[in-house]
Amino acid sequence: MKKKMLLLNTTVLLGLGGVLSTPAYASTIQDMESQKSQIQNQRQDVQSNIKAASDELTRLQAEQDQMKAQLERLTLAEEENNKKAEKTEADIKETSKQVEQLEKEIKLLQEKLEKRNDILKDRARSMQESGGNVEYLQVLLGSSSFGDFVDRALAVSTIVDADRGILTETKNMQDELKTKQADVKSKLASLEDMKAELDEMTVQLAAQKKQKDALAKELKDKEAKNEELKASLQSKDSSLANEQSTLEQNIKDQKAAEEAARKAAEQAAKEAAKKAAEQAQKAAAAPAEKADSPSPKAAPKASSNDVAPTSAPAPKASNVVTVGNRWIGNSAYVFGGGRSQSDINHGLFDCSSFVHWAYSQVGVNLGPLGSVSTETLKHAGTQVSSSQMQPGDLVFFDTYKKDGHVGIYVGGGKFIGAQSSTGVAIANMSSGYWKQKFNGRVVRI
């Protein structure tokens, strides 16, 4: 009888074990957990890439903001240079009118002088024919020019009053002619300088327009790429998030189904055990043995790593050679600019105002800001040989006029200055354009 009871109990336990094992469910969840782990790892990589991309987008946005600010500076510089160009053209027209009027006056004076010359010649000829004053004749014969003749004639005391009046008036006309001729020469020289400045500004405006158009195109291209990158990253992140969410829901549903099946199996096992026990009691009247099933234990542990923050580098000290580096890529050239705080705040300089600003940053005053020019700067220090120039020395170039451009030597055959096409920049003076324009003038402050 005991042998039969043992065989029956063994059969019940084997049946219960078969119901509780549920190999099909365990295999499915294991696969999904493995797949979930792979997706989580993949998502971690994507999230890392998204962070890197976000950092890059932030950097590009800062670069875009900088480019926008530079475009605004170039637009402002273009407007200011256009105003100066228009004023210069108006000055040229006005000066041309003055020159034209002076030339008319000179022509009238010359005609009057020619008539005076004919009158004096006739008087001298008449005096000679009538046996006039010999001293007066010697004056005429010894003169080297008509002007010399007038000067000599006025010095002769024996000249009759009528002749003296004509000669005095002629002398005054000659002096007036010389004054007007000198005035015309001065205005013509001024006109030539203004024309040279206008030509220089025209070149600057063309260079700035080209630079502005290039920056605008670059900005537009980068904005398009940024938007495309942002959309791509967001789409990928959304797709992975949906995939992970779907998988997590599937695992949750599968675990719920497994739990329901486990409970059903437990219930079926209990009922089978109860029935077997009842049958055993009837057969052998012996106490039924109860089987205990171990409960699963799970104690996963998670660990985390802290990332130590990095400290920002300490700022570098600057001197006159490097203090202007902050304006590289953040400035624009304006003819006559940099002489007000507003211009300086917007990075609008010309060559001489930039040099004045740079030296002021290290405590050196190069004279009144409003009147600073290449002409004042070349007399601001001590002239030294170009073979002895050192960083910090002022170097001069013949551009639209002699000493038309100035910069600060930084060493290695280079100088920093406000250039017409780029704004503040470092340029090479040992080759190319600036080597041809360097006139050898070096001033040490």
Side-chain angles (χ1 to χ4, degrees):
M1 182 64 68
K2 290 182 179 180
K3 188 174 181 180
K4 287 183 179 180
M5 177 62 75
L6 180 61
L7 180 61
L8 179 61
N9 290 338
T10 301
T11 301
V12 170
L13 290 173
L14 286 174
L16 180 60
V19 172
L20 291 176
S21 64
T22 59
Y25 286 117
S27 176
T28 302
I29 291 177
Q30 183 178 4
D31 290 343
M32 285 193 293
E33 288 286 1
S34 175
Q35 186 178 359
K36 176 184 174 182
S37 177
Q38 291 176 1
I39 291 178
Q40 286 177 330
N41 291 336
Q42 185 181 1
R43 186 125 191 253
Q44 286 179 353
D45 292 339
V46 172
Q47 289 289 346
S48 177
N49 290 335
I50 289 176
K51 184 181 183 305
S54 297
D55 293 342
E56 177 66 7
L57 285 171
T58 301
R59 186 191 69 78
L60 288 175
Q61 186 60 53
E63 184 179 344
Q64 288 175 9
D65 293 341
Q66 185 178 6
M67 289 173 66
K68 287 178 181 177
Q70 180 67 354
L71 282 174
E72 291 175 359
R73 276 188 293 270
L74 286 174
T75 300
L76 182 58
E78 187 176 16
E79 292 173 355
E80 291 297 320
N81 282 334
N82 276 326
K83 291 178 183 178
K84 293 182 183 296
E86 291 173 1
K87 184 179 183 302
T88 301
E89 288 179 345
D91 290 342
I92 287 175
K93 289 179 180 179
E94 180 62 27
T95 305
S96 297
K97 291 179 181 178
Q98 295 176 10
V99 169
E100 184 179 352
Q101 181 62 33
L102 283 173
E103 288 176 343
K104 288 180 180 179
E105 293 177 6
I106 289 172
K107 184 177 180 181
L108 289 175
L109 279 174
Q110 287 175 336
E111 290 175 355
K112 288 182 179 181
L113 284 174
E114 287 176 2
K115 291 180 181 179
R116 298 289 183 183
N117 188 18
D118 293 339
I119 292 173
L120 289 172
K121 283 182 179 179
D122 289 342
R123 286 181 176 277
R125 189 179 299 110
S126 176
M127 184 177 291
Q128 183 179 16
E129 291 174 353
S130 62
N133 189 291
V134 175
E135 185 178 3
Y136 190 86
L137 295 176
Q138 288 177 344
V139 168
L140 178 60
L141 296 173
S143 61
S144 60
S145 65
F146 180 68
D148 186 28
F149 168 74
V150 172
D151 291 337
R152 284 170 176 256
L154 287 172
V156 177
S157 61
T158 58
I159 296 176
V160 295
D161 291 340
D163 287 351
R164 182 176 294 278
I166 294 174
L167 289 170
T168 300
E169 186 178 355
T170 304
K171 174 64 174 175
N172 292 337
M173 291 172 64
Q174 282 184 322
D175 292 342
E176 184 182 359
L177 179 60
K178 289 179 181 178
T179 300
K180 290 190 174 183
Q181 285 176 331
D183 194 16
V184 168
K185 288 182 180 179
S186 175
K187 287 186 178 295
L188 284 174
S190 175
L191 188 63
E192 290 173 356
D193 286 344
M194 285 192 289
K195 183 64 168 62
E197 290 180 6
L198 179 59
D199 291 342
E200 180 73 8
M201 280 189 281
T202 301
V203 173
Q204 292 164 11
L205 289 174
Q208 289 176 349
K209 182 66 166 56
K210 183 178 180 181
Q211 182 187 13
K212 188 173 75 171
D213 291 344
L215 282 174
K217 183 179 184 304
E218 184 179 354
L219 178 61
K220 187 176 181 179
D221 291 344
K222 285 194 174 184
E223 285 179 342
K225 289 180 180 178
N226 287 351
E227 291 299 329
E228 183 180 352
L229 176 61
K230 183 178 179 181
S232 175
L233 289 171
Q234 289 176 337
S235 176
K236 188 171 185 179
D237 185 42
S238 177
S239 176
L240 284 172
N242 290 336
E243 187 175 350
Q244 181 176 344
S245 176
T246 299
L247 187 58
E248 287 174 348
Q249 185 61 44
N250 289 342
I251 292 174
K252 182 179 179 180
D253 293 343
Q254 189 65 31
K255 284 184 176 181
E258 181 187 44
E259 180 65 14
R262 186 183 69 80
K263 288 180 178 180
E266 286 181 350
Q267 185 63 30
K270 287 180 181 180
E271 292 176 357
K274 182 179 180 181
K275 184 176 181 180
E278 290 175 351
Q279 291 176 351
Q281 287 176 352
K282 291 179 181 180
E289 295 181 0
K290 296 184 178 180
D292 296 329
S293 59
S295 60
K297 294 182 180 181
K301 293 183 180 180
S303 62
S304 62
N305 296 321
D306 294 332
V307 179
T310 58
S311 58
K316 290 178 63 179
S318 300
N319 55 31
V320 72
V321 175
T322 59
V323 72
N325 289 353
R326 58 170 290 195
W327 294 116
I328 296 176
N330 298 310
S331 60
Y333 185 96
V334 172
F335 200 94
R339 286 163 179 78
S340 69
Q341 193 57 47
S342 176
D343 279 358
I344 294 173
N345 291 342
H346 288 89
L348 306 178
F349 296 97
D350 66 8
C351 61
S352 53
S353 65
F354 169 74
V355 169
H356 187 284
W357 174 87
Y359 268 93
S360 71
Q361 300 306 295
V362 295
V364 179
N365 185 357
L366 295 181
L369 176 60
S371 59
V372 66
S373 65
T374 54
E375 189 67 22
T376 63
L377 290 177
K378 75 180 184 182
H379 299 296
T382 304
Q383 303 277 335
V384 298
S385 170
S386 60
S387 62
Q388 297 177 342
M389 66 181 166
Q390 300 173 359
D393 290 344
L394 304 187
V395 287
F396 290 80
F397 305 84
D398 293 343
T399 51
Y400 72 96
K401 67 176 183 178
K402 185 171 179 60
D403 297 318
H405 189 70
V406 64
I408 301 173
Y409 186 65
V410 300
K414 297 180 179 180
F415 75 98
I416 186 171
Q419 326 298 4
S420 61
S421 60
T422 60
V424 175
I426 295 176
N428 189 350
M429 59 183 288
S430 60
S431 64
Y433 175 81
W434 291 112
K435 180 180 180 181
Q436 297 173 0
K437 297 298 181 180
F438 178 54
N439 61 18
R441 186 187 298 278
V442 179
V443 174
R444 183 161 298 159
I445 303 300

